[in-house]
Amino acid sequence: MASKNLKIMSNRCYHHIITNALFLIIPSLILAAIINLNHLYNDSLTAAAAAAILSLCILFSYFLRPRKVYLVDFTCYRHDPAFSTNRDTFKEKMSTLLSPESLSFTTKVIERSGAGEETFIYGVRDFPPKSSFECAREEAEIVLCGAVDDLMAKTGVEAAQIGVVVVNISTFNPVPSLSAMIVNRYKLREDVLTYNLGGMGCSAGLIAVDLAKRLLQVQRNSYALIVSLESPTSGYYLGHDKSKLLSNCLFRMGGAALLLSNRRSDRRISKYELSHTLRTHRGADDRSYKCVFQEADKEGALGITISKDLPSVAGEALKANITSLGPLVLPISEKLTFLATLIGRRFLNMKGLRPYVPDFKAAFEHFCIHAGGKAVLDAVETSLKLRAWDMEPSRMTLYRYCNTSSSSVWYQLAYAEAKGRVRRGDRVWQLGFGSGFKCASGVWRALRTIPPNEVDNPWLQVIDQFPISLPT
């Protein structure tokens, strides 16, 4: 145990040194140059001037450092029990709208998706709605305000303190925007910076974090409110194209709200510190660009086509993302092993040597993999050689909530907290995939241990029932 703790400590020290190397090296080089000048001129005035210059350089380097960004807290939308819908009810509602063949296909996909018997669907009891737009607006407002109300109550932050608002949602983009809905409801100040990310798929939540992080680098002592949600009511497809029927089977209502801060004083009350955000965009490749595509079918019915290329496209995006992320997070032992294997294969012509897949379990204690479906989770588990314990938050989130798009990674972190798994110093990797095609990573470090008796999230009342044994 002691050796394991020593290894973890040494790895963290290494990453800290690498992260801050620029600010350690520059003043050292300047100091060396000043010492040489002092030897050359042996002048006390030169030494005094040099000391002043050195002080200014150190001060300059200090203020050039990126501002640390903290996750004060986050909330996941608590679904109203009235929205709970079982498979039979959903099948009954859809049977009046779909052909027997389409209904049979939909039923099989749902049964194999990894979702449970009951999920949460808005408006299913009055389905189909008289106006899908009005129904979608109501759904978005319920989820958005439910999550933000909880967040404001938990953090105690005042509306006037929020300087940045970022909202992301995929297919529903009303006018005024959802970010404007937040400004109006919570009466935010006039100079608040608002952004509405649409059409970016299930990775948009982490992209929103990345955007907010960048904005907080130039806004002093400020808070950023991020809301990630989905309103699948707006995108139900009622045609016969099987590739478009998939979205009906996978997506369900859900959302999350998080409060980021760059105030140093908030470190002591925050849950996590943001270590890295990394985005990989494969949109230049036509196959990747078209694998999740909103378009009309032959009869003119609008839907989202999910192509058979999706698994391979997602795999390529994941490979590109972890290739860039690895050097930032992996311990030195994993980097050296990877480098040795690469040299052996490329330069020593050792064809029998298999490519080395780094052990990301050495870099992270918790994995929040977007719950896009059973096939997605199976592929990531195999690719990264993760354990069932590592995948448990993702699989249980998929089982209980189905695919809530970009908010799924927050339901997963909420699951880990409710289980009492998050300890001080633990590292969390959130991984999202989205149309375009994109892969996004968010890396967090827990600033304190989170006891389950302090947790207040949607898992609280049912956490003792999980994990549930799932069919293979």
Side-chain angles (χ1 to χ4, degrees):
M1 187 68 180
S3 61
K4 182 180 179 181
N5 290 336
L6 182 62
K7 182 179 179 181
I8 291 173
M9 188 179 297
S10 63
N11 286 338
R12 287 176 183 166
C13 288
Y14 166 79
H15 290 305
H16 181 75
I17 291 170
I18 292 298
T19 303
N20 297 281
L22 180 65
F23 310 106
L24 295 171
I25 292 171
I26 290 178
S28 301
L29 291 175
I30 293 172
L31 179 61
I34 290 170
I35 291 172
N36 287 332
L37 282 173
N38 193 39
H39 282 312
L40 283 173
Y41 297 101
N42 195 22
D43 184 15
S44 58
L45 184 61
T46 303
I53 293 171
L54 176 60
S55 300
L56 288 173
C57 287
I58 293 174
L59 196 64
F60 186 63
S61 297
Y62 176 78
F63 284 107
L64 270 182
R65 294 182 64 182
R67 299 180 191 277
K68 291 185 177 181
V69 174
Y70 305 108
L71 174 59
V72 180
D73 212 333
F74 71 97
T75 56
C76 296
Y77 168 69
R78 302 170 190 264
H79 294 77
D80 189 321
F83 302 147
S84 179
T85 306
N86 59 40
R87 289 182 185 176
D88 289 339
T89 301
F90 182 72
K91 181 179 178 181
E92 178 186 344
K93 294 292 183 180
M94 298 302 286
S95 66
T96 61
L97 303 167
L98 299 177
S99 67
E101 183 182 0
S102 296
L103 182 64
S104 175
F105 173 77
T106 298
T107 303
K108 288 179 181 178
V109 171
I110 292 175
E111 290 173 351
R112 299 171 184 174
S113 67
E117 285 290 333
E118 292 194 6
T119 52
F120 297 94
I121 306 175
Y122 181 74
V124 74
R125 306 199 186 284
D126 301 317
F127 194 83
K130 294 180 180 178
S131 168
S132 59
F133 180 84
E134 288 301 324
C135 188
R137 189 197 290 272
E138 291 170 3
E139 179 183 27
E141 187 170 4
I142 288 171
V143 173
L144 183 151
C145 295
V148 176
D149 284 350
D150 279 355
L151 183 67
M152 302 283 266
K154 285 178 73 173
T155 61
V157 68
E158 296 179 3
Q161 295 176 287
I162 297 174
V164 176
V165 174
V166 184
V167 179
N168 69 272
I169 190 169
S170 293
T171 56
F172 180 62
N173 289 284
V175 178
S177 67
L178 295 178
S179 60
M181 182 187 291
I182 291 177
V183 174
N184 177 261
R185 179 180 174 86
Y186 298 98
K187 308 306 177 187
L188 303 187
R189 64 190 199 221
E190 291 184 355
D191 64 343
V192 65
L193 303 178
T194 62
Y195 299 86
N196 216 83
L197 307 182
M200 300 187 76
C202 303
S203 64
L206 295 173
I207 292 173
V209 170
D210 179 70
L211 173 60
K213 178 190 75 172
R214 295 169 187 267
L215 293 169
L216 287 175
Q217 296 305 309
V218 295
Q219 283 226 345
R220 297 182 63 85
N221 297 320
S222 188
Y223 290 105
L225 171 65
I226 300 174
V227 184
S228 300
L229 72 157
E230 200 53 76
S231 179
T233 304
S234 65
Y236 278 121
Y237 173 71
L238 303 177
H240 308 291
D241 187 336
K242 291 182 178 179
S243 64
K244 293 180 177 60
L245 285 168
L246 287 171
S247 61
N248 292 356
C249 310
L250 300 175
F251 292 96
R252 298 292 181 262
M253 70 183 300
L258 32 151
L259 186 69
L260 300 184
S261 171
N262 60 8
R263 298 156 60 109
R264 292 178 194 165
S265 59
D266 284 335
R267 187 184 190 281
R268 60 184 178 81
I269 63 169
S270 298
K271 283 186 172 181
Y272 302 91
E273 180 182 327
L274 182 60
S275 300
H276 304 285
T277 52
L278 186 67
R279 302 160 57 180
T280 303
H281 205 308
R282 304 278 298 176
D285 174 67
D286 291 343
R287 191 171 65 106
S288 298
Y289 176 69
K290 294 281 287 186
C291 73
V292 180
F293 204 82
Q294 188 176 31
E295 58 188 352
D297 64 13
K298 295 178 180 178
E299 285 75 35
L302 188 65
I304 298 176
T305 298
I306 300 177
S307 79
K308 295 179 180 179
D309 290 330
L310 179 59
S312 61
V313 165
E316 292 166 5
L318 173 62
K319 182 180 178 181
N321 191 268
I322 63 176
T323 299
S324 300
L325 183 67
L328 300 175
V329 299
L330 288 170
I332 190 66
S333 58
E334 288 296 311
K335 294 177 185 178
L336 291 175
T337 306
F338 176 80
L339 180 62
T341 306
L342 184 66
I343 292 173
R345 285 174 54 82
R346 289 196 178 179
F347 302 105
L348 301 181
N349 202 27
M350 300 170 67
K351 300 298 184 183
L353 190 64
R354 291 185 177 183
Y356 180 71
V357 178
D359 182 7
F360 279 90
K361 296 187 295 295
F364 304 108
E365 284 74 35
H366 306 283
F367 297 82
C368 300
I369 313 298
H370 167 56
K374 184 178 182 298
V376 172
L377 296 181
D378 288 346
V380 173
E381 180 179 5
T382 302
S383 299
L384 298 180
K385 299 180 180 179
L386 301 180
R387 303 161 298 184
W389 189 90
D390 299 319
M391 299 298 298
E392 185 182 311
S394 299
R395 293 195 187 280
M396 294 305 103
T397 295
L398 178 62
Y399 179 88
R400 189 179 186 208
Y401 295 108
C402 210
N403 183 348
T404 62
S405 191
S406 58
S407 66
S408 73
V409 294
W410 296 105
Y411 282 98
Q412 292 158 28
L413 186 54
Y415 178 93
E417 289 187 354
K419 278 291 185 182
R421 295 181 177 181
V422 180
R423 315 291 295 179
R424 181 181 178 184
D426 282 0
R427 296 152 298 178
V428 180
W429 182 16
Q430 293 181 319
L431 181 66
F433 301 93
S435 57
F437 192 86
K438 300 177 290 295
C439 180
S441 287
V443 178
W444 306 87
R445 182 172 63 87
L447 295 175
R448 55 189 171 91
T449 297
I450 303 173
N453 63 324
E454 293 182 8
V455 170
D456 182 18
N457 66 42
W459 292 99
L460 186 62
Q461 302 300 326
V462 298
I463 194 62
D464 292 337
Q465 302 172 21
F466 290 87
I468 290 173
S469 180
L470 301 174
T472 56

